[in-house]
Amino acid sequence: MKRLVLFFPLLILIASCAKDPGSGGNSSITGKVKVRQFNGSFTLLTGVYYGPDEEVYLIYGDDSTSAYDERTRTAPGGNYEFSYLRPGKYWVYAYAEDSTLASTKPIAIFKQVEITDKKQEVTADDIIIQK
């Protein structure tokens, strides 16, 4: 019985040390944003390139409906990086124009990424947006 009394507080202490996804770790998520450029009516593809200066957002955890936790911009080659992350699930996204022209509001294009280990660099699939 005495061992059980000592074991239970130790178990609670260990469980409370587990950290949720977010900043404070040694891992990173990298990726690229690819732009598919169209004419104004989205009937003619005029170019495909990795987009410079595009905003990319990061959500900690696996709830893609929550507000973003971090934001960055892509470099001239379309690449981005979110650093100092802990293991866990993340959503990375960028905004695209609605190619159906049904709305003038931008559409979020999501990619889910999971960091499974400390000091890990995870490369997300390209985020492909229409403009």
Side-chain angles (χ1 to χ4, degrees):
M1 180 71 173
K2 196 174 199 179
R3 287 184 183 173
L4 184 59
V5 171
L6 292 174
F7 177 73
F8 187 68
L10 182 61
L11 183 63
I12 291 174
L13 181 64
I14 291 171
S16 66
C17 291
K19 297 192 178 204
D20 291 332
S23 63
N26 294 315
S27 296
S28 63
I29 297 172
T30 61
K32 288 187 168 193
V33 175
K34 184 181 277 188
V35 177
R36 296 184 68 215
Q37 187 76 47
F38 286 86
N39 64 350
S41 59
F42 282 94
T43 56
L44 179 64
L45 179 65
T46 59
V48 177
Y49 55 91
Y50 285 106
D53 204 35
E54 295 290 337
E55 287 186 319
V56 183
Y57 303 88
L58 180 69
I59 297 173
Y60 303 158
D62 50 348
D63 180 9
S64 66
T65 62
S66 64
Y68 72 88
D69 294 294
E70 290 188 44
R71 177 178 60 187
T72 191
R73 288 193 171 275
T74 57
N79 51 315
Y80 63 87
E81 181 175 9
F82 292 101
S83 300
Y84 307 110
L85 300 173
R86 293 190 299 255
K89 291 183 180 178
Y90 296 86
W91 286 99
V92 180
Y93 68 98
Y95 285 105
E97 291 183 27
D98 183 0
S99 61
T100 67
L101 302 176
S103 173
T104 58
K105 293 182 180 180
I107 298 170
I109 308 298
F110 288 93
K111 298 292 178 182
Q112 188 171 39
V113 180
E114 184 171 9
I115 296 173
T116 58
D117 201 3
K118 297 177 181 178
K119 296 184 181 181
Q120 181 181 15
E121 183 179 304
V122 177
T123 302
D125 292 337
D126 285 356
I127 300 172
I128 302 171
I129 62 172
Q130 280 93 237
K131 285 188 156 193

